[in-house]
Amino acid sequence: MHSESHSRQESSESTNITGSCLYDLLRLDTPTDWGFNENNGKTASSGPHGRLENLMSEPGNRFCADCGSPEPKWVSLNIGSFICIKCSGVHRSLGVHISKVLSVNLDEWTDDEVNVLTEMGGNTIINMKYEACIPEYYKKPKPDSSIEERADFIWRKYELLQFTNTDESLSCPFPYRSPPTHSNSSSLDMSSSGHEKKQNSVKNTQSHRSHWHAFRHSRRRKDSHDRTHRKSSLSAGMVEFIGLIKVNVVRGSNLAVRDMISSDPYVILSLGDQSVKTRVIKKNLNPVWNEQLMLSIPEDVPPLKLLVYDKDRFSTDDFMGEAEIDIQPLVSAAKASENSKTEDSVQLGQWVESKENALEGDGDGVFNMVEGKVKQEIALKLQNVERGVLHIELECVSLTQ
């Protein structure tokens, strides 16, 4: 009996080990920056990207805050919302002072950025603020809504703050004031002053009418101005995007002196109506940024412009040169290689220095496909300045990533 019991125990232990193999394998396959919380069976990460994934899994963050598209992969950091790729393009057109857009997968996140996003509360809390009072006649965009509908809604929601709940209510600028009450007086006093009151009433009515007409005309002028401003503000937001350009501003070399013996350089990137900039590096003519910035690529691909400035505290920033890149060849190479399954490094094309471009001789722009990604390293001679070279890396990213 003892032998049989011992045999059954060994068999039971063997069965348990076999049944747990899949669990053990799954634990082994878990990324190194993730831990496993056996108390609740949920994964929790100590790294920023892992914490970001946890935030995305919360119910309110599983859909775009603006149109409801599932599985949003983009974040407006200063607003605090998770948004889809289509709405992210409109957000970029608002400017980084309103909405700074980052990719969940493509951008490098810090713990401080994730902390800020966490404190804001996610899509549910954000929409309680920005969508507190959407009029019944105005419909929120849906996942299949046009770019025009998205642009109009996002512009009203975040720039004009039309749907936020404010204590101010619309009212007539010249409200009716009831006349003061008096104690009982003689009928003689009432009759003697009746004619005078009637004349004053007519004058007040005419005055109020003239003021009201003036107010209506001023409102019409303001509405007309708002419509004009709206068209110019939305023009960028209504552009269809075909992809993303990821720019790594690597370094500058032998830049121009704009202070006494040095400069405080930073770089501005612009693509169409979008613009982003790097941080300022103090007192350095050979600055190293290694800073990644991202812009949406419009359907009609414009050139990528780079401007370098010296930061001045008490005066206008000094110009330190500019350069322009035609990114259409890079976009075409990326499109041509979309269906490629090779993981080997492949050279797809090359730019050669000429009078028509700002390429530095030692940095001819070669298009390479590395691990399925189309990249290009370029050294650019800064134009309209005495000296300076800017080294950058470009990567064309599909909207599906």
Side-chain angles (χ1 to χ4, degrees), residues 122-178:
N123 286 1
T124 302
I125 301 298
I126 295 303
N127 280 349
M128 286 175 65
K129 172 185 176 181
Y130 288 98
E131 298 181 4
C133 49
I134 299 179
E136 292 182 1
Y137 60 84
Y138 193 88
K139 294 185 178 180
K140 183 176 178 176
K142 297 179 180 179
D144 59 349
S145 293
S146 67
I147 193 69
E148 290 83 5
E149 292 174 301
R150 295 174 195 271
D152 183 79
F153 176 77
I154 291 171
W155 176 69
R156 292 176 184 274
K157 179 177 178 179
Y158 298 111
E159 186 169 355
L160 296 187
L161 304 177
Q162 285 189 348
F163 311 134
T164 56
N165 188 14
T166 61
D167 294 329
E168 298 176 0
S169 58
L170 294 176
S171 60
C172 175
F174 303 99
Y176 171 79
R177 290 186 176 87
S178 58

Side-chain angles (χ1 to χ4, degrees), residues 201-248:
S201 176
V202 171
K203 289 180 180 179
N204 289 337
T205 301
Q206 291 175 343
S207 176
H208 281 187
R209 283 178 179 173
S210 63
H211 284 305
W212 179 245
H213 284 303
F215 169 75
R216 289 182 63 189
H217 288 309
S218 68
R219 288 293 300 174
R220 286 173 182 170
R221 287 193 297 271
K222 184 179 185 302
D223 290 342
S224 176
H225 172 75
D226 286 345
R227 283 193 295 270
T228 303
H229 172 70
R230 173 190 169 193
K231 287 179 180 178
S232 60
S233 298
L234 291 181
S235 59
M238 291 190 294
V239 174
E240 289 284 357
F241 298 109
I242 59 174
L244 302 162
I245 185 79
K246 194 175 184 179
V247 185
N248 182 22

Side-chain angles (χ1 to χ4, degrees), residues 65-82:
D66 297 326
C67 73
S69 294
E71 299 181 358
K73 299 295 184 183
W74 299 83
V75 173
S76 173
L77 185 59
N78 42 355
I79 290 174
S81 59
F82 288 85

Side-chain angles (χ1 to χ4, degrees), residues 288-314:
V288 177
W289 286 282
N290 269 329
E291 189 168 343
Q292 291 186 346
L293 302 169
M294 201 174 307
L295 296 160
S296 300
I297 304 174
E299 195 170 17
D300 295 325
V301 183
L304 175 65
K305 298 180 180 180
L306 303 93
L307 298 102
V308 184
Y309 283 93
D310 166 59
K311 182 67 177 178
D312 283 332
R313 187 172 181 181
F314 300 109

Side-chain angles (χ1 to χ4, degrees), residues 322-351:
E322 61 185 347
E324 189 172 292
I325 310 168
D326 179 12
I327 63 170
Q328 181 65 66
L330 179 68
V331 175
S332 299
K335 284 185 176 180
S337 60
E338 273 185 356
N339 298 323
S340 175
K341 296 181 180 179
T342 180
E343 294 295 329
D344 299 330
S345 297
V346 179
Q347 181 174 328
L348 301 176
Q350 181 177 7
W351 271 8

